[in-house]
Amino acid sequence: MKIEVARRNARVFVMSLEGELDMSNSPDVRNALLPLFKDEPTHIVVDLSRVPYVDSSGIATFVEGLQLSRKNNVRFTLAGATPAVEAVFDLAYLKNVFEMIPSLEGLFEGEGKA
């Protein structure tokens, strides 16, 4: 699993993941995601476009991120999920719980740089 975190502007982060997200590496994703909340972001986006598979431990990591985002009034978005990954969210009845968008494209248009 490759994890990259980029600061889009002062308070917006994009975490890009590459590879299968399963029990062996979901703690690494969690350890990269949760500290982002300490920087008081307004928006955290997780780019899943290069993730072919997610298991229940990966879903649990995103649920924890969503819970923290709601607690801290942070927008939390999952972007670019493949059909297979989207199906896992659908099976878990979470597809409509998360903000899921088709891609990062256009997400930040018109956004001022901080």
Side-chain angles (χ1 to χ4, degrees), residues 14 21 34 36 42 48 53 66 69 87 97 101 110:
V14 176
L21 177 53
L34 298 187
L36 298 180
T42 57
L48 298 173
Y53 172 81
L66 181 64
S69 71
V97 173
I101 60 171

Side-chain angles (χ1 to χ4, degrees), residues 54-60 62-63 66 84-98 100:
V54 174
D55 73 3
S56 60
S57 66
I59 297 289
F62 296 137
V63 168
L66 181 64
V85 169
E86 198 170 309
V88 174
F89 280 88
D90 201 22
L91 285 171
Y93 299 102
L94 293 171
K95 186 176 174 186
N96 294 323
V97 173
F98 286 89
M100 297 184 79

Side-chain angles (χ1 to χ4, degrees), residues 4-21:
E4 293 179 359
V5 177
R7 189 182 285 261
R8 180 74 187 181
N9 68 40
R11 299 185 65 199
V12 176
F13 294 91
V14 176
M15 173 184 280
S16 298
L17 305 178
E18 183 176 348
E20 293 187 353
L21 177 53

Side-chain angles (χ1 to χ4, degrees), residues 55-75:
D55 73 3
S56 60
S57 66
I59 297 289
T61 298
F62 296 137
V63 168
E64 188 173 2
L66 181 64
Q67 289 171 332
L68 273 172
S69 71
R70 289 181 173 172
K71 179 180 175 184
N72 295 294
N73 199 29
V74 175
R75 185 176 172 195

Side-chain angles (χ1 to χ4, degrees), residues 8 14 43 45 75 77 79-80 99 101-112:
R8 180 74 187 181
V14 176
H43 193 181
V45 182
R75 185 176 172 195
T77 306
E99 177 185 8
I101 60 171
S103 71
L104 288 174
E105 189 175 320
L107 183 61
F108 302 109
E109 286 180 9
E111 176 182 275

